[in-house]
Amino acid sequence: MTQLRTRFAPSPTGYLHIGGLRSALYSYLYAKKNNGKFILRIEDTDQGRYVEGAVEIIYKTLHDTGIHYDEGPDVGGDYGPYIQSQRKNEYMHYAKQLVESGHAYYCFCTEERLQSLPDVNGARRYDKHCLHLSKEEVERRLNAGEKFVIRQNMPTTGNTTYHDAVYGDITIENSELEDQILIKSDGMPTYNFANVIDDHLMGINCVMRGIEYLSSTPKYNLLYDAFGWERPMYIHMPPIMKDAQHKLSKRNGDASYEDLIKKGFLKDAIINYIALLGWSPKDDSEKMSFDELKAKFDIAGINKSPSIFDPVKLAWLNSLYIKEMTPEEFANYATPWIDNCYLKDFDKALVCKLIQSRIETFEEIEDKLRFLVEFPPFENSLYDNQKQKTNADTAREVLPLVKEKFSKVRKWDNEHLYQALVKLAEELGVKNGKVLWPARIALTGLAATPGGASEVAELLGKKETLHRLDVAIAQLQ
Ligand code: GLU
């Protein structure tokens, strides 16, 4: 049996957006599931859209996420070069072959003539004008150095059908197909031509890409047929939407992989979430490691319907991955977020211990603990808590005693501080909450904070803790 060969063929136009990363991931997973090869090809023939540094971002993102390609520009392989602009000469040769066989033709039409063609719903359809030029005239004009493009000669009758593994049989009337440009006037191939030539020459037998290519694929199939080449298997993926109406798109500035990393999402969570954007495993599991994805991925699980990029769900998944980190892993990863804000002055291990199970993204760290450095006056109604049966009166009674206990604590750590508070509750003959709640409010001035009174006190240190208790007590007078 021939080995399965899939590919990811991004255009280097900026950061790798979510849709692109999903194409890479699915193509990789499908290849690996079938002991096949996954190839990276850079499609840089549209020089106008080229962005400096974008190729390196593609390499780095795939490398970081573990989507390893077996062949590609920076890793080599038997089917190179893997960068389209370096394959320029190949395309002309194949385009000429199509001209010979009547499947393509030279077109010398000026921009002016093209603009004079009738506008049908915003598009001007080429009218095959140059198809009828004699061979001699074409020769003469080429020799005279006239500017030209090469167009595909589409059949005008009949229809073209192909099978897509997700969307089923797709049929298009040939009369709907325009004589698209294969070679541009700068000698470069269009994407529409290059993708077919490259996929064939690179032995790609399975093409996985976004649904936006579903309707152009009949044109590509006509090219495969014209050359007498075997068509690949097609797997088109559903669109990724921002909401019910709008597609997620990097042109609209929607999130790229890089943006998500900067916001404090973990790569494993991002990959896990992206895998679920248009695919679900038979067992409906949601949290899946990369190895589990490799084992579970199948074409049957790809949905036809659009999927909505849900930042809330991504954050939830991210929190699960964060909770799973060892304290060392968490501390390492959290370091830049801690070191770049006021938290650098606190005990990092304590900060990490307090925050690890309480954030969904690393970006939240900075805001979640701001009360450590900001302590503005607050409403005494914060002491009201029906469940703990506390209010300002309870606080007035309990806080001086908390201060006394804390002043005498043997060791300033969570354990001892907690024991001191529990002991106080015991002595007063009240439930722990009656002491813990007012103490935490007094130390933070906030209804909700990560960590309880003793954890907060440990981080604040003795001096600041006693000072805050004094302030809170004075505020109750
Ligand atoms: N260069 C195309 C893109 O970035 C690739 C489409 C394909 O996979 O054929 O959208």
Side-chain angles (χ1 to χ4, degrees):
M1 229 185 78
T2 8
Q3 187 177 44
L4 183 77
R5 288 175 63 83
T6 67
R7 86 314 191 255
F8 174 45
S11 303
T13 54
Y15 285 129
L16 201 45
H17 60 299
I18 299 306
L21 194 54
R22 184 189 61 175
S23 296
L25 178 65
Y26 285 17
S27 306
Y28 167 86
L29 292 173
Y30 189 54
K32 294 300 128 184
K33 186 78 192 280
N34 293 283
N35 297 317
K37 295 267 188 245
F38 170 61
I39 287 99
L40 173 67
R41 176 174 76 231
I42 301 293
E43 302 209 323
D44 62 345
T45 52
D46 190 349
Q47 306 271 314
R49 291 179 61 213
Y50 185 82
V51 172
E52 200 61 41
V55 176
E56 287 66 32
I57 291 173
I58 293 168
Y59 298 158
K60 185 175 180 323
T61 307
L62 296 180
H63 180 78
D64 287 355
T65 51
I67 305 178
H68 296 307
Y69 35 97
D70 300 292
E71 299 167 28
D74 56 337
V75 301
D78 294 339
Y79 297 79
Y82 293 90
I83 296 190
Q84 268 181 347
S85 57
Q86 294 170 13
R87 304 171 66 86
K88 189 176 165 185
N89 299 333
E90 296 275 3
Y91 307 114
M92 190 54 106
H93 158 79
Y94 284 101
K96 283 183 180 163
Q97 198 176 314
L98 289 180
V99 172
E100 284 299 307
S101 63
H103 293 97
Y105 58 93
Y106 288 96
C107 169
F108 300 94
C109 287
T110 58
E111 194 48 42
E112 223 177 349
R113 175 164 196 282
L114 296 177
Q115 284 307 320
S116 70
L117 293 170
D119 182 331
V120 184
N121 301 328
R124 295 180 201 280
R125 204 185 151 90
Y126 189 62
D127 58 357
K128 286 185 182 278
H129 179 77
C130 288
L131 175 64
H132 310 293
L133 298 178
S134 68
K135 234 181 153 162
E136 293 70 34
E137 180 163 6
V138 170
E139 276 304 308
R140 185 182 59 72
R141 292 172 81 163
L142 287 178
N143 288 336
E146 258 188 60
K147 261 190 152 203
F148 69 87
V149 299
I150 297 181
R151 288 182 184 272
Q152 188 175 355
N153 182 17
M154 296 294 183
T156 49
T157 56
N159 55 47
T160 307
T161 298
Y162 76 99
H163 183 76
D164 180 84
V166 175
Y167 292 91
D169 284 342
I170 308 290
T171 302
I172 279 216
E173 296 292 325
N174 290 336
S175 57
E176 285 176 26
L177 303 174
E178 197 192 358
D179 285 2
Q180 62 177 352
I181 294 176
L182 303 178
I183 299 285
K184 296 181 278 188
S185 57
D186 62 1
M188 280 288 202
T190 53
Y191 160 75
N192 289 328
F193 190 47
N195 89 89
V196 171
I197 304 298
D198 288 341
D199 281 341
H200 173 73
L201 294 180
M202 293 181 175
I204 303 299
N205 46 24
C206 174
V207 168
M208 300 176 78
R209 61 185 160 212
I211 193 175
E212 58 275 25
Y213 294 98
L214 191 76
S215 60
S216 327
T217 298
K219 301 187 214 171
Y220 310 147
N221 283 328
L222 286 168
L223 290 171
Y224 279 98
D225 297 351
F227 285 116
W229 295 340
E230 201 177 322
R231 298 176 181 183
M233 165 187 185
Y234 291 106
I235 302 172
H236 285 94
M237 301 168 220
I240 304 178
M241 312 291 288
K242 185 182 175 131
D243 52 44
Q245 277 85 36
H246 305 95
K247 276 185 76 174
L248 197 71
S249 129
K250 73 172 153 183
R251 288 184 201 190
N252 296 336
D254 288 332
S256 66
Y257 171 79
E258 210 85 7
D259 293 331
L260 294 176
I261 290 289
K262 278 191 203 131
K263 287 187 178 157
F265 290 94
L266 293 165
K267 71 172 170 35
D268 290 343
I270 301 174
I271 289 295
N272 186 160
Y273 183 63
I274 285 180
L276 296 173
L277 280 174
W279 170 79
S280 43
K282 284 191 194 72
D283 59 8
D284 278 336
S285 39
E286 297 203 289
K287 180 169 179 297
M288 282 168 284
S289 67
F290 205 59
D291 283 340
E292 282 170 314
L293 288 175
K294 276 193 222 170
K296 288 186 183 183
F297 189 77
D298 63 346
I299 297 306
I302 300 183
N303 311 318
K304 283 196 184 73
S305 44
S307 40
I308 294 187
F309 182 85
D310 178 1
V312 175
K313 185 161 177 186
L314 170 60
W316 164 75
L317 260 181
N318 204 52
S319 72
L320 302 185
Y321 281 88
I322 290 178
K323 286 194 185 89
E324 249 178 22
M325 295 172 110
T326 63
E328 294 72 36
E329 284 168 345
F330 182 83
N332 279 338
Y333 207 90
T335 294
W337 274 276
I338 293 176
D339 285 354
N340 285 330
C341 69
Y342 62 90
L343 285 168
K344 63 178 178 303
D345 299 328
F346 288 83
D347 181 322
K348 192 157 86 190
L350 289 182
V351 168
C352 289
K353 203 168 93 191
L354 192 64
I355 210 76
Q356 178 167 6
S357 62
R358 294 174 169 114
I359 49 165
E360 292 196 318
T361 68
F362 284 84
E363 195 183 46
E364 289 170 21
I365 293 180
E366 187 170 344
D367 275 347
K368 283 250 150 116
L369 294 177
R370 201 176 290 284
F371 64 85
L372 291 174
V373 285
E374 286 173 12
F375 187 58
F378 57 92
E379 294 295 327
N380 287 334
S381 58
L382 275 183
Y383 292 110
D384 295 345
N385 183 322
Q386 284 195 342
K387 197 165 152 240
Q388 313 291 0
K389 300 203 175 59
T390 59
N391 55 31
D393 291 337
T394 330
R396 212 171 279 124
E397 186 188 329
V398 158
L399 293 179
L401 303 172
V402 169
K403 193 186 162 200
E404 202 185 312
K405 284 269 181 237
F406 275 2
S407 322
K408 288 195 240 148
V409 87
R410 267 193 300 122
K411 195 165 173 230
W412 196 265
D413 64 12
N414 178 33
E415 206 190 313
H416 289 83
L417 291 163
Y418 185 75
Q419 283 314 323
L421 294 174
V422 169
K423 184 107 193 299
L424 175 59
E426 201 186 300
E427 285 166 16
L428 294 173
V430 297
K431 288 206 168 127
N432 292 347
K434 216 156 182 164
V435 172
L436 296 176
W437 179 267
R440 193 187 56 78
I441 297 294
L443 295 181
T444 63
L446 294 173
T449 49
S454 52
E455 285 166 293
V456 169
E458 181 182 30
L459 253 175
L460 286 174
K462 187 167 184 177
K463 195 167 159 228
E464 178 67 11
T465 299
L466 298 183
H467 166 68
R468 286 190 181 195
L469 284 170
D470 280 341
V471 173
I473 291 166
Q475 208 177 251
L476 281 159
Q477 302 315 310

